[in-house]
Amino acid sequence: MRVQRQDIIDAAMTLLDEVGIEGLTMRRLAGALRIQAPSLYWHFAGKQALLDAMADALLAEMRLPAESGLPWDEWLREMATEFRRALKSRRDGARVYAGTFPVMDNVLRISDRAIATLRAAGADERTAAHMLFTMLYFVIGFTIEEQATLPPPGGNGEGIDLKRVAQQLTAEQEARYPNAAATVRLLIADNDDDARFRFGLERLIDGLRAAVPVSGSNPKKAPDPGSPE
């Protein structure tokens, strides 16, 4: 029986959890499907095409905020949080997504809603696109680092042991680089990825507000500095 495209994507996602992105090869995937490797190329020109499809599949279960008149910044905050959840749902999910640009249904559905929300808030087309990609890059980069420190879900292996990293600091290094050394200690004492993510996301949204000329339905015009109140 000829394997279907969706069968390949499903098997690739399962294999990703088992072996990670480095271990995911077309040959190994073919073995998992019990087919010959050339059969995969009926559906995917190569590994990058497969990764594009996997990136789109990562977003299949992504739940967008309801269209209930949320302010754009709250909508974007919820979307970013859900995007991170989707990337973390698979081992190396953020690395799979990084560097892809799949023109596929899930990616297009989410991007279209995000751009529409930002345009409705007053951003022009170019600004809305820059705002969306700025948020995406933050979430992808954060999640790549986050996943690198955690044991992979559904597979074997260990994450980065921050305590072991701290133990590698020498007394000379702590004396020469006291601020960096203190930061390493802080990461161990306050190892809360969710809190760090929220902090970064809030500061990002604070900055993005400056790019939106209209905020709310009745924006106030700033008073002329040379005029009396």
Side-chain angles (χ1 to χ4, degrees), residues 60-84:
E61 302 301 322
M62 184 171 164
R63 301 178 296 273
L64 290 176
E67 297 186 49
S68 56
L70 277 180
W72 72 266
D73 49 352
E74 291 185 21
W75 193 95
L76 197 64
R77 182 184 297 110
E78 289 190 22
M79 177 195 171
T81 302
E82 178 66 8
F83 181 45
R84 173 178 173 239

PDB file of all heavy atoms in Angstrom, residues 60-84:
ATOM      1  N   ALA A  60      -1.208  22.882  14.098  1.00  0.00           N
ATOM      2  CA  ALA A  60      -2.552  22.364  13.812  1.00  0.00           C
ATOM      3  C   ALA A  60      -3.472  22.462  15.019  1.00  0.00           C
ATOM      4  O   ALA A  60      -4.674  22.722  14.878  1.00  0.00           O
ATOM      5  CB  ALA A  60      -2.463  20.917  13.332  1.00  0.00           C
ATOM      6  N   GLU A  61      -2.928  22.247  16.215  1.00  0.00           N
ATOM      7  CA  GLU A  61      -3.745  22.280  17.434  1.00  0.00           C
ATOM      8  C   GLU A  61      -3.657  23.624  18.141  1.00  0.00           C
ATOM      9  O   GLU A  61      -4.143  23.768  19.255  1.00  0.00           O
ATOM     10  CB  GLU A  61      -3.306  21.163  18.379  1.00  0.00           C
ATOM     11  CG  GLU A  61      -3.379  19.766  17.793  1.00  0.00           C
ATOM     12  CD  GLU A  61      -4.782  19.408  17.349  1.00  0.00           C
ATOM     13  OE1 GLU A  61      -5.741  19.783  18.047  1.00  0.00           O
ATOM     14  OE2 GLU A  61      -4.914  18.758  16.293  1.00  0.00           O
ATOM     15  N   MET A  62      -3.041  24.592  17.505  1.00  0.00           N
ATOM     16  CA  MET A  62      -2.877  25.898  18.153  1.00  0.00           C
ATOM     17  C   MET A  62      -4.212  26.624  18.195  1.00  0.00           C
ATOM     18  O   MET A  62      -4.862  26.824  17.174  1.00  0.00           O
ATOM     19  CB  MET A  62      -1.841  26.726  17.384  1.00  0.00           C
ATOM     20  CG  MET A  62      -1.518  28.051  18.022  1.00  0.00           C
ATOM     21  SD  MET A  62      -0.111  28.829  17.196  1.00  0.00           S
ATOM     22  CE  MET A  62      -0.285  30.511  17.794  1.00  0.00           C
ATOM     23  N   ARG A  63      -4.615  27.018  19.399  1.00  0.00           N
ATOM     24  CA  ARG A  63      -5.899  27.680  19.607  1.00  0.00           C
ATOM     25  C   ARG A  63      -5.708  29.190  19.629  1.00  0.00           C
ATOM     26  O   ARG A  63      -5.018  29.720  20.506  1.00  0.00           O
ATOM     27  CB  ARG A  63      -6.531  27.201  20.920  1.00  0.00           C
ATOM     28  CG  ARG A  63      -6.782  25.701  20.975  1.00  0.00           C
ATOM     29  CD  ARG A  63      -7.373  25.286  22.316  1.00  0.00           C
ATOM     30  NE  ARG A  63      -6.442  25.541  23.407  1.00  0.00           N
ATOM     31  CZ  ARG A  63      -5.497  24.696  23.809  1.00  0.00           C
ATOM     32  NH1 ARG A  63      -5.358  23.522  23.176  1.00  0.00           N
ATOM     33  NH2 ARG A  63      -4.705  24.994  24.811  1.00  0.00           N
ATOM     34  N   LEU A  64      -6.324  29.871  18.690  1.00  0.00           N
ATOM     35  CA  LEU A  64      -6.213  31.323  18.644  1.00  0.00           C
ATOM     36  C   LEU A  64      -7.203  31.959  19.616  1.00  0.00           C
ATOM     37  O   LEU A  64      -8.258  31.384  19.898  1.00  0.00           O
ATOM     38  CB  LEU A  64      -6.487  31.826  17.224  1.00  0.00           C
ATOM     39  CG  LEU A  64      -5.413  31.496  16.189  1.00  0.00           C
ATOM     40  CD1 LEU A  64      -5.849  31.967  14.814  1.00  0.00           C
ATOM     41  CD2 LEU A  64      -4.080  32.128  16.567  1.00  0.00           C
ATOM     42  N   PRO A  65      -6.873  33.144  20.120  1.00  0.00           N
ATOM     43  CA  PRO A  65      -7.831  33.845  20.989  1.00  0.00           C
ATOM     44  C   PRO A  65      -9.152  34.073  20.271  1.00  0.00           C
ATOM     45  O   PRO A  65      -9.184  34.264  19.051  1.00  0.00           O
ATOM     46  CB  PRO A  65      -7.124  35.171  21.286  1.00  0.00           C
ATOM     47  CG  PRO A  65      -5.674  34.896  21.055  1.00  0.00           C
ATOM     48  CD  PRO A  65      -5.615  33.875  19.962  1.00  0.00           C
ATOM     49  N   ALA A  66     -10.218  34.055  21.025  1.00  0.00           N
ATOM     50  CA  ALA A  66     -11.540  34.261  20.438  1.00  0.00           C
ATOM     51  C   ALA A  66     -11.654  35.686  19.893  1.00  0.00           C
ATOM     52  O   ALA A  66     -11.035  36.617  20.408  1.00  0.00           O
ATOM     53  CB  ALA A  66     -12.614  34.018  21.489  1.00  0.00           C
ATOM     54  N   GLU A  67     -12.438  35.825  18.838  1.00  0.00           N
ATOM     55  CA  GLU A  67     -12.674  37.156  18.272  1.00  0.00           C
ATOM     56  C   GLU A  67     -13.784  37.840  19.079  1.00  0.00           C
ATOM     57  O   GLU A  67     -14.939  37.860  18.686  1.00  0.00           O
ATOM     58  CB  GLU A  67     -13.068  37.035  16.801  1.00  0.00           C
ATOM     59  CG  GLU A  67     -11.977  36.438  15.936  1.00  0.00           C
ATOM     60  CD  GLU A  67     -12.353  36.466  14.457  1.00  0.00           C
ATOM     61  OE1 GLU A  67     -12.777  37.528  13.962  1.00  0.00           O
ATOM     62  OE2 GLU A  67     -12.234  35.420  13.826  1.00  0.00           O
ATOM     63  N   SER A  68     -13.396  38.398  20.213  1.00  0.00           N
ATOM     64  CA  SER A  68     -14.399  38.982  21.101  1.00  0.00           C
ATOM     65  C   SER A  68     -14.052  40.413  21.470  1.00  0.00           C
ATOM     66  O   SER A  68     -14.330  40.864  22.573  1.00  0.00           O
ATOM     67  CB  SER A  68     -14.510  38.138  22.373  1.00  0.00           C
ATOM     68  OG  SER A  68     -13.232  38.030  23.001  1.00  0.00           O
ATOM     69  N   GLY A  69     -13.434  41.119  20.549  1.00  0.00           N
ATOM     70  CA  GLY A  69     -13.107  42.508  20.813  1.00  0.00           C
ATOM     71  C   GLY A  69     -11.936  42.708  21.752  1.00  0.00           C
ATOM     72  O   GLY A  69     -11.812  43.770  22.386  1.00  0.00           O
ATOM     73  N   LEU A  70     -11.046  41.708  21.890  1.00  0.00           N
ATOM     74  CA  LEU A  70      -9.870  41.876  22.728  1.00  0.00           C
ATOM     75  C   LEU A  70      -8.996  42.993  22.174  1.00  0.00           C
ATOM     76  O   LEU A  70      -8.823  43.109  20.959  1.00  0.00           O
ATOM     77  CB  LEU A  70      -9.044  40.583  22.751  1.00  0.00           C
ATOM     78  CG  LEU A  70      -9.434  39.462  23.699  1.00  0.00           C
ATOM     79  CD1 LEU A  70      -8.464  38.298  23.517  1.00  0.00           C
ATOM     80  CD2 LEU A  70      -9.430  39.922  25.141  1.00  0.00           C
ATOM     81  N   PRO A  71      -8.406  43.825  23.030  1.00  0.00           N
ATOM     82  CA  PRO A  71      -7.384  44.770  22.557  1.00  0.00           C
ATOM     83  C   PRO A  71      -6.265  44.000  21.875  1.00  0.00           C
ATOM     84  O   PRO A  71      -5.964  42.866  22.252  1.00  0.00           O
ATOM     85  CB  PRO A  71      -6.908  45.451  23.848  1.00  0.00           C
ATOM     86  CG  PRO A  71      -8.036  45.285  24.805  1.00  0.00           C
ATOM     87  CD  PRO A  71      -8.662  43.963  24.469  1.00  0.00           C
ATOM     88  N   TRP A  72      -5.632  44.618  20.888  1.00  0.00           N
ATOM     89  CA  TRP A  72      -4.627  43.907  20.093  1.00  0.00           C
ATOM     90  C   TRP A  72      -3.490  43.369  20.950  1.00  0.00           C
ATOM     91  O   TRP A  72      -2.965  42.280  20.680  1.00  0.00           O
ATOM     92  CB  TRP A  72      -4.075  44.809  18.995  1.00  0.00           C
ATOM     93  CG  TRP A  72      -3.163  45.906  19.502  1.00  0.00           C
ATOM     94  CD1 TRP A  72      -3.511  47.189  19.810  1.00  0.00           C
ATOM     95  CD2 TRP A  72      -1.760  45.802  19.780  1.00  0.00           C
ATOM     96  NE1 TRP A  72      -2.411  47.892  20.269  1.00  0.00           N
ATOM     97  CE2 TRP A  72      -1.333  47.059  20.258  1.00  0.00           C
ATOM     98  CE3 TRP A  72      -0.839  44.770  19.683  1.00  0.00           C
ATOM     99  CZ2 TRP A  72      -0.007  47.324  20.618  1.00  0.00           C
ATOM    100  CZ3 TRP A  72       0.489  45.020  20.051  1.00  0.00           C
ATOM    101  CH2 TRP A  72       0.891  46.285  20.519  1.00  0.00           C
ATOM    102  N   ASP A  73      -3.089  44.113  22.004  1.00  0.00           N
ATOM    103  CA  ASP A  73      -1.957  43.650  22.801  1.00  0.00           C
ATOM    104  C   ASP A  73      -2.318  42.412  23.623  1.00  0.00           C
ATOM    105  O   ASP A  73      -1.497  41.500  23.775  1.00  0.00           O
ATOM    106  CB  ASP A  73      -1.419  44.772  23.691  1.00  0.00           C
ATOM    107  CG  ASP A  73      -2.508  45.484  24.483  1.00  0.00           C
ATOM    108  OD1 ASP A  73      -3.697  45.222  24.249  1.00  0.00           O
ATOM    109  OD2 ASP A  73      -2.152  46.311  25.344  1.00  0.00           O
ATOM    110  N   GLU A  74      -3.556  42.354  24.123  1.00  0.00           N
ATOM    111  CA  GLU A  74      -3.984  41.153  24.835  1.00  0.00           C
ATOM    112  C   GLU A  74      -4.093  39.962  23.879  1.00  0.00           C
ATOM    113  O   GLU A  74      -3.750  38.834  24.226  1.00  0.00           O
ATOM    114  CB  GLU A  74      -5.325  41.402  25.532  1.00  0.00           C
ATOM    115  CG  GLU A  74      -5.237  42.380  26.692  1.00  0.00           C
ATOM    116  CD  GLU A  74      -6.558  42.512  27.427  1.00  0.00           C
ATOM    117  OE1 GLU A  74      -7.403  41.588  27.312  1.00  0.00           O
ATOM    118  OE2 GLU A  74      -6.760  43.537  28.099  1.00  0.00           O
ATOM    119  N   TRP A  75      -4.599  40.228  22.679  1.00  0.00           N
ATOM    120  CA  TRP A  75      -4.715  39.172  21.674  1.00  0.00           C
ATOM    121  C   TRP A  75      -3.331  38.623  21.332  1.00  0.00           C
ATOM    122  O   TRP A  75      -3.124  37.405  21.272  1.00  0.00           O
ATOM    123  CB  TRP A  75      -5.393  39.721  20.424  1.00  0.00           C
ATOM    124  CG  TRP A  75      -5.847  38.672  19.459  1.00  0.00           C
ATOM    125  CD1 TRP A  75      -7.087  38.117  19.357  1.00  0.00           C
ATOM    126  CD2 TRP A  75      -5.047  38.021  18.437  1.00  0.00           C
ATOM    127  NE1 TRP A  75      -7.112  37.172  18.355  1.00  0.00           N
ATOM    128  CE2 TRP A  75      -5.881  37.094  17.777  1.00  0.00           C
ATOM    129  CE3 TRP A  75      -3.726  38.144  18.032  1.00  0.00           C
ATOM    130  CZ2 TRP A  75      -5.433  36.299  16.727  1.00  0.00           C
ATOM    131  CZ3 TRP A  75      -3.263  37.339  16.988  1.00  0.00           C
ATOM    132  CH2 TRP A  75      -4.118  36.432  16.346  1.00  0.00           C
ATOM    133  N   LEU A  76      -2.376  39.527  21.122  1.00  0.00           N
ATOM    134  CA  LEU A  76      -1.024  39.098  20.758  1.00  0.00           C
ATOM    135  C   LEU A  76      -0.364  38.338  21.903  1.00  0.00           C
ATOM    136  O   LEU A  76       0.348  37.359  21.682  1.00  0.00           O
ATOM    137  CB  LEU A  76      -0.180  40.321  20.376  1.00  0.00           C
ATOM    138  CG  LEU A  76       1.100  40.041  19.589  1.00  0.00           C
ATOM    139  CD1 LEU A  76       0.770  39.444  18.222  1.00  0.00           C
ATOM    140  CD2 LEU A  76       1.925  41.313  19.430  1.00  0.00           C
ATOM    141  N   ARG A  77      -0.628  38.758  23.134  1.00  0.00           N
ATOM    142  CA  ARG A  77      -0.074  38.068  24.295  1.00  0.00           C
ATOM    143  C   ARG A  77      -0.593  36.625  24.354  1.00  0.00           C
ATOM    144  O   ARG A  77       0.179  35.686  24.564  1.00  0.00           O
ATOM    145  CB  ARG A  77      -0.459  38.810  25.570  1.00  0.00           C
ATOM    146  CG  ARG A  77       0.122  38.199  26.841  1.00  0.00           C
ATOM    147  CD  ARG A  77      -0.375  38.932  28.081  1.00  0.00           C
ATOM    148  NE  ARG A  77       0.056  40.318  28.089  1.00  0.00           N
ATOM    149  CZ  ARG A  77      -0.756  41.378  27.908  1.00  0.00           C
ATOM    150  NH1 ARG A  77      -2.066  41.189  27.718  1.00  0.00           N
ATOM    151  NH2 ARG A  77      -0.287  42.597  27.937  1.00  0.00           N
ATOM    152  N   GLU A  78      -1.879  36.448  24.146  1.00  0.00           N
ATOM    153  CA  GLU A  78      -2.455  35.097  24.175  1.00  0.00           C
ATOM    154  C   GLU A  78      -1.929  34.250  23.019  1.00  0.00           C
ATOM    155  O   GLU A  78      -1.635  33.062  23.183  1.00  0.00           O
ATOM    156  CB  GLU A  78      -3.977  35.179  24.118  1.00  0.00           C
ATOM    157  CG  GLU A  78      -4.617  35.720  25.389  1.00  0.00           C
ATOM    158  CD  GLU A  78      -6.123  35.567  25.391  1.00  0.00           C
ATOM    159  OE1 GLU A  78      -6.643  34.700  24.649  1.00  0.00           O
ATOM    160  OE2 GLU A  78      -6.792  36.316  26.121  1.00  0.00           O
ATOM    161  N   MET A  79      -1.799  34.869  21.862  1.00  0.00           N
ATOM    162  CA  MET A  79      -1.290  34.124  20.709  1.00  0.00           C
ATOM    163  C   MET A  79       0.145  33.669  20.946  1.00  0.00           C
ATOM    164  O   MET A  79       0.509  32.516  20.652  1.00  0.00           O
ATOM    165  CB  MET A  79      -1.352  34.988  19.455  1.00  0.00           C
ATOM    166  CG  MET A  79      -0.780  34.299  18.224  1.00  0.00           C
ATOM    167  SD  MET A  79      -0.444  35.441  16.870  1.00  0.00           S
ATOM    168  CE  MET A  79       0.441  34.343  15.753  1.00  0.00           C
ATOM    169  N   ALA A  80       0.994  34.559  21.470  1.00  0.00           N
ATOM    170  CA  ALA A  80       2.391  34.214  21.717  1.00  0.00           C
ATOM    171  C   ALA A  80       2.510  33.075  22.729  1.00  0.00           C
ATOM    172  O   ALA A  80       3.320  32.163  22.570  1.00  0.00           O
ATOM    173  CB  ALA A  80       3.150  35.447  22.218  1.00  0.00           C
ATOM    174  N   THR A  81       1.687  33.126  23.760  1.00  0.00           N
ATOM    175  CA  THR A  81       1.700  32.085  24.781  1.00  0.00           C
ATOM    176  C   THR A  81       1.279  30.738  24.190  1.00  0.00           C
ATOM    177  O   THR A  81       1.876  29.691  24.482  1.00  0.00           O
ATOM    178  CB  THR A  81       0.757  32.468  25.939  1.00  0.00           C
ATOM    179  OG1 THR A  81       1.181  33.728  26.487  1.00  0.00           O
ATOM    180  CG2 THR A  81       0.760  31.408  27.024  1.00  0.00           C
ATOM    181  N   GLU A  82       0.275  30.760  23.337  1.00  0.00           N
ATOM    182  CA  GLU A  82      -0.191  29.530  22.696  1.00  0.00           C
ATOM    183  C   GLU A  82       0.817  29.023  21.671  1.00  0.00           C
ATOM    184  O   GLU A  82       1.008  27.810  21.514  1.00  0.00           O
ATOM    185  CB  GLU A  82      -1.549  29.792  22.035  1.00  0.00           C
ATOM    186  CG  GLU A  82      -2.138  28.607  21.288  1.00  0.00           C
ATOM    187  CD  GLU A  82      -2.500  27.448  22.187  1.00  0.00           C
ATOM    188  OE1 GLU A  82      -2.443  27.581  23.426  1.00  0.00           O
ATOM    189  OE2 GLU A  82      -2.848  26.380  21.649  1.00  0.00           O
ATOM    190  N   PHE A  83       1.502  29.925  20.981  1.00  0.00           N
ATOM    191  CA  PHE A  83       2.538  29.544  20.019  1.00  0.00           C
ATOM    192  C   PHE A  83       3.673  28.819  20.739  1.00  0.00           C
ATOM    193  O   PHE A  83       4.160  27.784  20.281  1.00  0.00           O
ATOM    194  CB  PHE A  83       3.052  30.800  19.309  1.00  0.00           C
ATOM    195  CG  PHE A  83       4.106  30.553  18.266  1.00  0.00           C
ATOM    196  CD1 PHE A  83       3.978  29.532  17.333  1.00  0.00           C
ATOM    197  CD2 PHE A  83       5.234  31.363  18.203  1.00  0.00           C
ATOM    198  CE1 PHE A  83       4.948  29.313  16.357  1.00  0.00           C
ATOM    199  CE2 PHE A  83       6.202  31.153  17.238  1.00  0.00           C
ATOM    200  CZ  PHE A  83       6.070  30.131  16.318  1.00  0.00           C
ATOM    201  N   ARG A  84       4.076  29.349  21.890  1.00  0.00           N
ATOM    202  CA  ARG A  84       5.116  28.680  22.683  1.00  0.00           C
ATOM    203  C   ARG A  84       4.658  27.290  23.095  1.00  0.00           C
ATOM    204  O   ARG A  84       5.429  26.316  23.029  1.00  0.00           O
ATOM    205  CB  ARG A  84       5.444  29.527  23.905  1.00  0.00           C
ATOM    206  CG  ARG A  84       6.388  28.871  24.916  1.00  0.00           C
ATOM    207  CD  ARG A  84       6.679  29.831  26.046  1.00  0.00           C
ATOM    208  NE  ARG A  84       7.432  29.212  27.128  1.00  0.00           N
ATOM    209  CZ  ARG A  84       7.016  29.129  28.383  1.00  0.00           C
ATOM    210  NH1 ARG A  84       5.821  29.613  28.720  1.00  0.00           N
ATOM    211  NH2 ARG A  84       7.760  28.574  29.309  1.00  0.00           N
TER     212      ARG A  84
END
